[in-house]
Amino acid sequence: MAANKGSEQQITPRAVDYARWYQDVVSQAGLAETSDVRGCMVIRPYGFALWENIQRVMDGMFKETGVENAYFPLFIPMSYLSREAEHVEGFAKECAVVTHHRLKAVDGKLAPDPESLLEEPLVVRPTSETIINATFAKWVQSHRDLPLLINQWCNVVRWEMRTRLFLRTTEFLWQEGHTAHATPDEAQERALLMLRVYRRFVEEWMAIPVITGVKTASERFAGAVNTYTMEAMMQDKRALQAGTSHNLGDNFARAFGTQYQSEGGKLTYVHQTSWGVSTRLIGALVMAHGDDRGLVLPPNLAPVQAVILPLFRKEQEAAAVREKAQEFRQRLAARGTAAKVDDRDTLSAGARFFWWEKRGVPLRIEIGPRDLKENQFVLVRRDTGEKSFHPQAALEETVARALEEMQRGLFDRARAFRDANTVRVETWSDFADAFRDENSAFVMARWCGDPMVEAQIKEETKATIRCVPFDNPRDDGPCVKSGRPASERVLFSKAY
RNA sequence: CGGGGCGUAGCUCAGCUUGGCUAGAGCGCGUGGUUUGGGACCACGAGGUCGCAGGUUCAAAUCCUGUCGCCCCGACCA
């Protein structure tokens, strides 16, 4: 590309400063911006359109497995949170607490009215296990009430120290699924089923390959028996936890008295799961596929899959070109392709190219006087930059094929990148090298299973065990850190 | 909560050291015109309680005190 003549804002190249690049893309693609509220973001229409697509597709997938949507309160009585010991310990440090219900002007300044102090403070939900269990305890009486399969789309608040748009904000949007089952096996099955649903969504719709597995005790959800996770590699070779699914056992059921009467009449605690993905997925999308020109969106999730740009020199040429562009849009819409015509004459053609490019629109269709004459159109792919000419009669098939190829191409490229940056390591010095300075990678190394050793590794390298992958082959040998006997390799990486 | 930095137009910033005319630039924005196959140009124009509150002074964006907010680096996290 020629030097930028205009004075448009630039996107910092990834190689210069990856974190800056991320911020630039999020901002210039119009996904989100920081707000006046500390740690909280404004999700802009284009970013929210992405979230809506994620919601729509996932919601359908959940419902196929029998899940129903419901809604539970934003506020949780403080005492609820403390009923499950590990849970409260996990979340106590990051809770926003509501203590008053009224404001009062004192010396012209608003302040909470001391007389409106709540008897019991309310916690703004960091997650809803407790309030949902308090409800489940009422809903579940008999084995006939099970399984109970509930999901809610909502916001949650976790008072984080450092925030980054989408990746970690004080308030974020997510879905949290909560299920109750008669047996431990059913709960275990459901936890794994939902992780498979997540995996299918992230791989097939977001074109991001993930490694699934189980978390170690130290990375486990507070109050869970087991936490399952999917981990994706970003372009700086760090891991991003893209979704988790928890087998909660009967921990919450015991805390809240959620029992059912079995066929034999015996009172039994239910076994439960919870599972969630958040707006963080949008951050994953940016970091998995974006390039130095901006966002690159997988066709299956793109709010606009193809942008049609009429090009013309003189006003006399404009009418015919514009008309053709509209015809294209209608033809594509009839095939279910989200196409949009951008015929703004306030921006030059080049400016419009950049506009859609940084927003990651998969395909650009150019139609100008020359093309009208030749009965052709120009197609440019966002991921490869490849430019090609096609007969107008073949518009629908050409676009459909290009979208499919790009969807597959993004996934293949991301997987090749991950595989190329996944290494098996035997010695501590090789391990430390892999994470030296700003380096990261997916490192498969043996671990003896001792949490102290895990903590020591994190201390020295900043790398953590992302998961013990499923279907992990037995591989006896010495632990990479302690030298003690280990029987399998686990996935280490620096993480977001 | 520890360490560093910054608050001046919608955005990025200059001006402050050494107080002094009507507070500036670029981008963006509005109007009109010429433009449009890779970030167009010309002309005119709108836009500011210089974060806030005190103080010093004939005079404060500039000096002093206090205060609030934000950003960056660390410990915690989807």
Side-chain angles (χ1 to χ4, degrees), chain A residues 210-244:
Chain A
V210 291
I211 291 176
T212 54
V214 60
K215 287 287 189 189
T216 61
S218 67
E219 300 274 335
R220 195 180 288 151
F221 177 75
V225 170
N226 254 322
T227 289
Y228 303 101
T229 180
M230 54 178 175
E231 302 283 328
M233 181 185 278
M234 304 294 101
Q235 290 181 72
D236 61 352
K237 303 169 197 170
R238 286 170 180 257
L240 185 136
Q241 179 176 304
T244 51

Side-chain angles (χ1 to χ4, degrees), chain A residues 254-383:
Chain A
R254 286 180 184 278
F256 287 85
T258 314
Q259 289 176 297
Y260 69 96
Q261 219 168 2
S262 68
E263 284 179 76
K266 196 179 134 206
L267 276 181
T268 311
Y269 288 112
V270 297
H271 286 75
Q272 294 174 276
T273 75
S274 68
W275 26 277
V277 299
S278 72
T279 36
R280 181 179 236 203
L281 285 179
I282 294 174
L285 211 50
V286 173
M287 289 200 292
H289 300 310
D291 63 22
D292 287 348
R293 295 169 164 225
L295 195 59
V296 177
L297 290 177
N300 287 352
L301 275 185
V304 178
Q305 295 173 303
V307 64
I308 304 164
L309 298 179
L311 305 171
F312 45 85
R313 287 181 196 284
K314 306 202 162 48
E315 204 48 43
Q316 305 94 279
E317 300 171 338
V321 169
R322 282 204 168 96
E323 199 181 326
K324 182 57 75 177
Q326 289 301 337
E327 178 204 312
F328 275 20
R329 190 189 59 74
Q330 283 167 15
R331 283 168 62 185
L332 290 173
R335 292 291 193 91
T337 302
K340 188 179 172 77
V341 173
D342 179 3
D343 61 354
R344 285 176 294 180
D345 57 5
T346 48
L347 293 179
S348 70
R352 281 183 284 158
F353 292 170
F354 281 103
W355 172 277
W356 292 103
E357 210 161 67
K358 66 189 179 189
R359 282 169 175 74
V361 172
L363 299 180
R364 179 172 85 231
I365 292 168
E366 301 171 20
I367 181 87
R370 291 210 293 267
D371 304 309
L372 284 188
K373 211 170 296 172
E374 304 290 333
N375 220 27
Q376 65 179 17
F377 67 92
V378 177
L379 184 74
V380 181
R381 253 175 72 165
R382 176 64 183 85
D383 57 334

Side-chain angles (χ1 to χ4, degrees), chain A residues 88-121:
Chain A
V88 66
E89 202 176 313
F91 286 103
K93 285 165 294 185
E94 50 188 33
C95 285
V97 187
V98 177
T99 54
H100 294 73
H101 66 80
R102 189 165 59 211
L103 294 172
K104 191 180 175 185
V106 181
D107 299 331
K109 278 189 172 177
L110 280 177
D113 184 345
E115 287 179 19
S116 71
L117 186 69
L118 296 180
E119 259 181 57
E120 179 178 3

